[in-house]
């Protein structure tokens, strides 16, 4: 496998204090969620040879602060790094940001889109997040060389839709919530 085809993944942090996952190849890096402060994010990217300025884009799963920290989003926009999210998530995040950032978000619906060599497909996830919540499938390559990485975070109830989205993944990252119901 050539270096261009190699894809690496590292969970920079996964906790109620902040979430962020880095996916990269030899030329492009994307972040899934930016729930850590900009200085912490920079510190976690550095050992892997990256800074915020090197990112090709950031995907946001939902608008909870541990997945989409305002100060980090502002820093990303200052460096002209695209931030991708569904329209409902943009609406919620914009409440905490200066209006000058309104046009900086890149929103998407159901259609796959690309960030560098990565084809991104979002799918809905059941979570109590205002504005909605999505998981992501990130694919590179074609045919036998195709690699698909899938991430689902904070989902409450698994369903067939999620299962179908995760099929054929080489790597699946899952973070789930548990909430006991009072009977």
């Amino acid at each position: 496998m050539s270096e261009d085809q190699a894809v690496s993944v590292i969970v920079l942090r996964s906790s109620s204090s902040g979430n962020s996952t880095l996916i990269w190849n030899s030329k492009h890096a994307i972040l899934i969620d930016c729930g850590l402060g900009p200085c912490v994010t920079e510190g976690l990217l550095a050992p892997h040879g990256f800074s915020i300025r090197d990112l090709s884009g950031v995907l946001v799963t939902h608008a909870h602060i541990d997945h989409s920290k305002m100060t980090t989003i502002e820093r990303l926009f200052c460096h002209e790094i695209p931030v991708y999210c569904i329209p409902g998530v943009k609406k919620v995040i914009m409440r905490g940001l200066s209006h000058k950032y309104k046009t900086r978000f890149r929103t998407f619906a159901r259609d796959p889109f690309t960030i560098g060599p990565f084809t991104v497909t979002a799918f809905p996830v059941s979570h109590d997040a205002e504005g909605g919540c999505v998981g992501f499938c990130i694919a590179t390559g074609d045919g036998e060389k195709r690699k698909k990485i899938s991430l689902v975070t904070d989902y409450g109830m698994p369903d067939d839709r999620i299962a179908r989205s995760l099929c054929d993944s080489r790597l699946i990252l899952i973070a789930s919530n548990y909430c006991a119901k009072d009977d």
Side-chain angles (χ1 to χ4, degrees):
M1 175 182 323
S2 77
E3 189 173 73
D4 287 343
Q5 294 171 338
V7 176
S8 298
V9 179
I10 187 160
V11 176
L12 298 174
R13 185 160 302 158
S14 178
S15 74
S16 58
S17 65
N19 296 274
S20 195
T21 299
L22 177 65
I23 300 175
W24 76 97
N25 71 2
S26 64
K27 296 180 182 175
H28 296 274
I30 59 175
L31 211 55
I32 300 177
D33 285 334
C34 54
L36 304 163
C39 293
V40 172
T41 301
E42 288 282 14
L44 292 170
L45 289 170
H48 307 288
F50 296 103
S51 75
I52 285 176
R53 290 176 297 286
D54 299 320
L55 298 172
S56 298
V58 176
L59 304 168
V60 176
T61 59
H62 62 286
H64 287 166
I65 193 167
D66 60 323
H67 293 265
S68 53
K69 194 170 205 73
M70 301 300 165
T71 54
T72 304
I73 291 173
E74 288 172 339
R75 176 80 56 90
L76 291 162
F77 287 155
C78 286
H79 292 295
E80 299 184 4
I81 306 302
V83 175
Y84 299 82
C85 61
I86 57 176
V89 169
K90 174 187 173 183
K91 184 177 178 181
V92 174
I93 292 173
M94 278 306 302
R95 290 184 202 147
L97 290 175
S98 167
H99 209 62
K100 69 182 178 182
Y101 296 124
K102 185 177 182 178
T103 60
R104 298 279 186 96
F105 284 96
R106 298 192 185 174
T107 57
F108 57 87
R110 299 247 185 250
D111 295 331
F113 58 95
T114 59
I115 303 174
F118 303 107
T119 300
V120 179
T121 306
F123 54 91
V125 172
S126 168
H127 183 40
D128 62 347
E130 184 182 1
C133 182
V134 295
F136 292 107
C137 297
I138 294 104
T140 60
D142 294 314
E144 290 182 18
K145 294 184 179 186
R146 184 173 185 267
K147 293 171 189 64
K148 179 178 163 186
I149 299 163
S150 300
L151 180 134
V152 183
T153 185
D154 288 8
Y155 78 97
M157 294 295 294
D159 59 34
D160 290 341
R161 200 174 35 196
I162 291 174
R164 283 190 302 275
S165 297
L166 301 180
C167 282
D168 302 328
S169 296
R170 294 248 182 129
L171 176 66
I172 299 172
L173 300 154
I174 297 175
S176 63
N177 290 342
Y178 172 75
C179 184
K181 290 186 179 183
D182 294 333
D183 291 317

